[in-house]
Amino acid sequence: MKKLYRNMRLFTAVDNGRALAGAEQGKISELKNASMLVSNGVVERVGAEDEVMKGICGRDISFEKDFGGACVIPGFVDPHTHICFAKRREDEFGMRLAGLPYLEILARGGGILSSVNAVKETDEEELFRRSERTVLAALSKGTTTIEIKSGYGLDTEAELKMLRVIERISKETPLTVVPTFMGAHAVPPEYKSDPDKFVDEILIKEMLPKVKAQGIARFCDVFCEEGVFSVEQSRRLLKAAAAMGFELKIHADEVNDLGGAGLAAELHTTSAEHLLAASEEHLKAMGEAGTIAVLLPATAYSLKKPYANGRNIVDWNVPVAIATDCNPGSCFCESMPFVFGLAVMKMNMTVDEALTASTLNAAYAIGLADKVGSLQPGKQADFLVLDGETPVALAYHAGSTSVMEVYKLGEKVA
Ligand code: NIG
Ligand code: FE
């Protein structure tokens, strides 16, 4: 049996088989008075009602809903989160507000390392329960697909535990989840004097094979940053991961311009993330390599850093996606509507570019564009009903979420 959703003002990016870059990123299809026919959670047809209903008998339709002309967009895809964590770090936020730099807190054994201790002390059931709560908060704000990184384990056992929790989130919540292995999130204190040993002996020789054998993680990511992992160490790790069949991501040039964006282009990684300090030369090289720039404006907001220049990055023909980076340290934000507003107001992207960035390009950034990211036949019927006439409402109605209803696979879930 099929479901029919009628009378929507539908906005969606159009998938042509690759992430949209340059002028293409700002091209959104708008259909007034649209209908969508959904079969087994998947869009079968979308368009004007008479076309959608051609040859379809009313008896085949089990459910029908009239949206009264409301604005509908694809469900948000959040392609970069560390949303699996055991404890908040409000105390550290207070220290940052008082002027202590983010990387200095990490260098003193806090920051990511304090989240590592919390994950080790928390049993798996409790870690799941706490993470699930934040994931469901994201769902209520319109995120229907999410990437989640490990990286608060930093030893094999704790990393595998995190990945099991991430898999459980995928099975027990309505969201589609893409798991990423990020054992290279920080150098554990016991390897501080010999980080190369951690990269070569632990990450490459021990963790990667065990994570591969576990079979949960799809991507491998690394925090390429001053005082964390160098470009050379990141290159070794990512090459080893690629050889084992992982797809690649990189935290590049978040605080300092180390050349992580250049490495992303060199290795043709699926995406490079943050890029607040990345150089024009390296960003343009990413565009040529087809590497997606995942921009995280809520992190710039939370770290009080200048925003990435989304306007230029789009104009330089780099496909841009946006994400929350939801984590307990640098950015405790699970709201894609907030990120959408920042993309428009602080990174000078157009509303249409931000819509592509938060849906279709985000789906490409996690290798799921065949299933989600736009409302087209063959893709999942994941969509949001907005309070507002157009997606402009997402940036216009500041501090509020304009997301009124959330549908996953054609079912209302929030
Ligand atoms: O993307 N930069 C590294 N990782 C996260 C922060 C994680 C944390 O502070 O716990 C980020 O900003
Ligand atoms: Fe991150």
Side-chain angles (χ1 to χ4, degrees):
M1 289 298 260
K2 301 175 196 299
K3 293 181 174 176
L4 180 67
Y5 296 99
R6 309 178 47 231
N7 199 9
M8 308 179 279
R9 188 166 175 191
L10 193 143
F11 295 81
T12 181
V14 180
D15 192 349
N16 301 314
R18 56 193 296 183
L20 301 178
E24 295 298 312
Q25 169 135 18
K27 287 193 186 146
I28 290 291
S29 138
E30 178 187 348
L31 281 172
K32 282 196 184 117
N33 214 336
S35 291
M36 187 160 61
L37 192 67
V38 174
S39 175
N40 291 321
V42 173
V43 177
E44 192 173 309
R45 295 182 187 175
V46 60
E49 179 153 340
D50 50 345
E51 277 166 36
V52 166
M53 288 307 288
K54 221 174 254 167
I56 303 277
C57 164
R59 279 194 315 253
D60 294 337
I61 291 171
S62 65
F63 175 87
E64 190 179 317
K65 177 158 175 152
D66 187 321
F67 283 113
C71 172
V72 168
I73 62 170
F76 289 127
V77 177
D78 187 347
H80 178 142
T81 83
H82 310 255
I83 208 167
C84 177
F85 58 84
K87 227 171 128 243
R88 297 184 181 200
R89 293 180 357 225
E90 269 172 50
D91 52 340
E92 180 189 314
F93 186 69
M95 284 151 66
R96 285 203 282 110
L97 289 181
L100 199 59
Y102 175 71
L103 287 178
E104 178 58 32
I105 295 171
L106 177 61
R108 292 185 191 182
I112 293 170
L113 295 173
S114 80
S115 287
V116 170
N117 292 333
V119 161
K120 286 189 178 150
E121 284 161 8
T122 306
D123 73 46
E124 202 161 321
E125 179 63 31
E126 184 62 16
L127 181 60
F128 169 74
R129 229 177 37 76
R130 293 184 195 175
S131 307
E132 180 193 35
R133 197 182 309 147
T134 324
V135 167
L136 293 178
L139 177 71
S140 74
K141 295 174 181 77
T143 300
T144 48
T145 296
I146 194 166
E147 184 255 15
I148 309 179
K149 302 173 198 295
S150 70
Y152 294 131
L154 302 193
D155 67 37
T156 306
E157 194 192 324
E159 286 294 312
L160 295 176
K161 166 170 118 178
M162 281 194 77
L163 288 164
R164 283 195 300 273
V165 168
I166 294 167
E167 182 181 50
R168 207 174 141 197
I169 292 169
S170 153
K171 290 191 169 140
E172 297 184 28
T173 72
L175 291 90
T176 303
V177 175
V178 172
T180 293
F181 166 60
M182 200 175 176
H185 199 185
V187 180
E190 54 285 19
Y191 291 95
K192 211 171 170 183
S193 59
D194 193 359
D196 278 325
K197 187 163 178 206
F198 181 62
V199 174
D200 299 313
E201 302 296 320
I202 305 300
L203 285 168
I204 295 180
K205 285 215 184 101
E206 185 182 315
M207 286 200 208
L208 278 180
K210 291 210 168 130
V211 169
K212 190 70 203 168
Q214 185 191 39
I216 295 173
R218 173 168 177 176
F219 285 88
C220 177
D221 197 344
V222 53
F223 189 12
C224 181
E225 182 57 71
E226 217 165 276
V228 194
F229 297 99
S230 68
V231 170
E232 188 39 48
Q233 290 165 338
S234 303
R235 182 185 284 113
R236 289 207 299 279
L237 174 70
L238 292 177
K239 279 187 158 178
M244 286 184 169
F246 291 97
E247 293 162 76
L248 306 182
K249 293 183 166 292
I250 176 168
H251 279 59
D253 308 327
E254 174 177 359
V255 184
N256 300 288
D257 179 14
L258 228 62
L263 178 64
E266 173 195 324
L267 299 180
H268 287 79
T269 60
T270 302
S271 62
E273 342 247 318
H274 286 289
L275 306 166
L276 299 186
S279 71
E280 178 173 343
E281 179 199 342
H282 288 151
L283 285 161
K284 286 182 171 163
M286 277 175 50
E288 273 157 32
T291 293
I292 297 169
V294 178
L295 304 182
L296 311 162
T299 311
Y301 167 87
S302 175
L303 291 178
K304 292 194 175 186
K305 295 271 179 199
Y307 291 83
N309 197 331
R311 173 76 271 126
N312 284 351
I313 300 175
V314 171
D315 291 340
W316 292 334
N317 268 313
V318 190
V320 170
I322 53 177
T324 61
D325 194 21
C326 183
N327 74 74
S330 65
C331 181
F332 186 38
C333 168
E334 73 283 7
S335 170
M336 284 298 280
F338 180 64
V339 168
F340 193 106
L342 292 178
V344 172
M345 305 305 292
K346 296 292 181 185
M347 299 200 300
N348 297 316
M349 292 168 62
T350 67
V351 166
D352 288 346
E353 287 164 351
L355 187 59
T356 299
S358 54
T359 56
L360 185 62
N361 280 3
Y364 272 103
I366 54 174
L368 272 192
D370 56 330
K371 296 196 173 66
V372 301
S374 60
L375 290 167
Q376 291 176 263
K379 293 212 197 190
Q380 294 185 10
D382 299 354
F383 58 92
L384 313 177
V385 183
L386 299 188
D387 173 29
E389 288 161 20
T390 68
V392 169
L394 289 161
Y396 166 62
H397 198 173
S400 164
T401 168
S402 300
V403 176
M404 304 311 291
E405 293 180 25
V406 181
Y407 289 78
K408 179 73 186 174
L409 289 164
E411 301 271 352
K412 188 168 163 180
V413 289

